[in-house]
mmCIF file of all heavy atoms in Angstrom:
data_model
loop_
_atom_site.group_PDB
_atom_site.id
_atom_site.type_symbol
_atom_site.label_atom_id
_atom_site.label_comp_id
_atom_site.label_asym_id
_atom_site.label_seq_id
_atom_site.Cartn_x
_atom_site.Cartn_y
_atom_site.Cartn_z
ATOM 1 N N PHE B 35 30.998 -15.750 -7.777
ATOM 2 C CA PHE B 35 31.256 -14.700 -6.797
ATOM 3 C C PHE B 35 31.445 -15.306 -5.418
ATOM 4 O O PHE B 35 32.338 -14.905 -4.679
ATOM 5 C CB PHE B 35 30.113 -13.696 -6.771
ATOM 6 C CG PHE B 35 30.318 -12.655 -5.731
ATOM 7 C CD1 PHE B 35 31.061 -11.530 -6.008
ATOM 8 C CD2 PHE B 35 29.811 -12.823 -4.452
ATOM 9 C CE1 PHE B 35 31.281 -10.591 -5.034
ATOM 10 C CE2 PHE B 35 30.038 -11.896 -3.477
ATOM 11 C CZ PHE B 35 30.769 -10.761 -3.769
ATOM 12 N N VAL B 42 38.892 -14.684 -0.874
ATOM 13 C CA VAL B 42 39.439 -13.387 -0.455
ATOM 14 C C VAL B 42 39.237 -13.134 1.038
ATOM 15 O O VAL B 42 40.074 -12.531 1.705
ATOM 16 C CB VAL B 42 38.773 -12.269 -1.284
ATOM 17 C CG1 VAL B 42 39.167 -10.904 -0.751
ATOM 18 C CG2 VAL B 42 39.152 -12.399 -2.735
ATOM 19 N N PHE B 45 41.931 -13.197 3.994
ATOM 20 C CA PHE B 45 42.929 -12.129 3.934
ATOM 21 C C PHE B 45 42.343 -10.811 4.428
ATOM 22 O O PHE B 45 42.990 -10.053 5.150
ATOM 23 C CB PHE B 45 43.444 -11.981 2.507
ATOM 24 C CG PHE B 45 44.110 -13.232 1.999
ATOM 25 C CD1 PHE B 45 43.435 -14.105 1.157
ATOM 26 C CD2 PHE B 45 45.399 -13.557 2.393
ATOM 27 C CE1 PHE B 45 44.027 -15.262 0.718
ATOM 28 C CE2 PHE B 45 46.008 -14.714 1.956
ATOM 29 C CZ PHE B 45 45.326 -15.581 1.111
ATOM 30 N N GLY B 72 41.296 17.452 26.072
ATOM 31 C CA GLY B 72 41.788 16.422 26.976
ATOM 32 C C GLY B 72 41.617 15.037 26.373
ATOM 33 O O GLY B 72 41.663 14.873 25.152
ATOM 34 N N LEU B 87 32.350 6.213 7.060
ATOM 35 C CA LEU B 87 31.793 4.985 6.500
ATOM 36 C C LEU B 87 30.287 5.105 6.276
ATOM 37 O O LEU B 87 29.764 4.597 5.296
ATOM 38 C CB LEU B 87 32.092 3.814 7.436
ATOM 39 C CG LEU B 87 33.298 2.943 7.091
ATOM 40 C CD1 LEU B 87 32.986 2.062 5.890
ATOM 41 C CD2 LEU B 87 34.531 3.779 6.763
ATOM 42 N N ALA B 110 24.301 -6.621 -8.319
ATOM 43 C CA ALA B 110 24.334 -5.223 -7.879
ATOM 44 C C ALA B 110 23.224 -4.959 -6.863
ATOM 45 O O ALA B 110 23.444 -4.275 -5.854
ATOM 46 C CB ALA B 110 24.195 -4.300 -9.077
ATOM 47 N N THR B 131 28.398 7.892 19.159
ATOM 48 C CA THR B 131 29.673 8.422 19.662
ATOM 49 C C THR B 131 29.683 9.941 19.595
ATOM 50 O O THR B 131 30.216 10.602 20.487
ATOM 51 C CB THR B 131 30.851 7.863 18.858
ATOM 52 O OG1 THR B 131 30.616 8.098 17.467
ATOM 53 C CG2 THR B 131 31.024 6.393 19.086
ATOM 54 N N TRP B 144 22.504 16.167 22.387
ATOM 55 C CA TRP B 144 21.985 16.314 21.028
ATOM 56 C C TRP B 144 21.572 17.761 20.789
ATOM 57 O O TRP B 144 20.963 18.381 21.665
ATOM 58 C CB TRP B 144 20.775 15.399 20.825
ATOM 59 C CG TRP B 144 20.304 15.383 19.412
ATOM 60 C CD1 TRP B 144 19.303 16.122 18.874
ATOM 61 C CD2 TRP B 144 20.839 14.615 18.351
ATOM 62 N NE1 TRP B 144 19.179 15.859 17.562
ATOM 63 C CE2 TRP B 144 20.123 14.933 17.203
ATOM 64 C CE3 TRP B 144 21.894 13.677 18.241
ATOM 65 C CZ2 TRP B 144 20.387 14.361 15.960
ATOM 66 C CZ3 TRP B 144 22.145 13.098 17.008
ATOM 67 C CH2 TRP B 144 21.397 13.437 15.887
ATOM 68 N N ILE B 193 24.325 16.872 1.319
ATOM 69 C CA ILE B 193 23.826 17.751 2.388
ATOM 70 C C ILE B 193 24.545 17.452 3.687
ATOM 71 O O ILE B 193 24.970 18.356 4.407
ATOM 72 C CB ILE B 193 22.292 17.594 2.545
ATOM 73 C CG1 ILE B 193 21.600 18.024 1.261
ATOM 74 C CG2 ILE B 193 21.801 18.425 3.718
ATOM 75 C CD1 ILE B 193 20.094 17.973 1.326
ATOM 76 N N ASN B 202 26.175 27.739 9.437
ATOM 77 C CA ASN B 202 27.129 27.733 10.539
ATOM 78 C C ASN B 202 26.594 26.778 11.585
ATOM 79 O O ASN B 202 25.440 26.779 11.960
ATOM 80 C CB ASN B 202 27.382 29.135 11.094
ATOM 81 C CG ASN B 202 26.097 29.878 11.322
ATOM 82 O OD1 ASN B 202 25.046 29.247 11.380
ATOM 83 N ND2 ASN B 202 26.160 31.179 11.449
ATOM 84 N N ILE B 218 45.069 19.091 10.704
ATOM 85 C CA ILE B 218 45.053 18.365 11.964
ATOM 86 C C ILE B 218 46.471 17.879 12.231
ATOM 87 O O ILE B 218 47.231 17.598 11.302
ATOM 88 C CB ILE B 218 44.039 17.202 11.869
ATOM 89 C CG1 ILE B 218 43.938 16.408 13.164
ATOM 90 C CG2 ILE B 218 44.361 16.282 10.734
ATOM 91 C CD1 ILE B 218 42.826 15.355 13.092
ATOM 92 N N ALA B 232 40.938 0.738 8.477
ATOM 93 C CA ALA B 232 40.475 -0.460 9.178
ATOM 94 C C ALA B 232 38.959 -0.591 9.082
ATOM 95 O O ALA B 232 38.412 -1.670 8.810
ATOM 96 C CB ALA B 232 40.907 -0.408 10.643
ATOM 97 N N LEU B 259 10.503 -22.373 -4.263
ATOM 98 C CA LEU B 259 9.457 -21.953 -5.199
ATOM 99 C C LEU B 259 9.328 -22.948 -6.339
ATOM 100 O O LEU B 259 8.221 -23.296 -6.750
ATOM 101 C CB LEU B 259 9.788 -20.573 -5.769
ATOM 102 C CG LEU B 259 9.431 -19.408 -4.872
ATOM 103 C CD1 LEU B 259 9.950 -18.116 -5.447
ATOM 104 C CD2 LEU B 259 7.923 -19.337 -4.699
#
Side-chain angles (χ1 to χ4, degrees):
Chain B
F35 177 86
V42 172
F45 299 101
L87 262 286
T131 53
W144 187 264
I193 297 183
N202 47 18
I218 181 174
L259 279 173

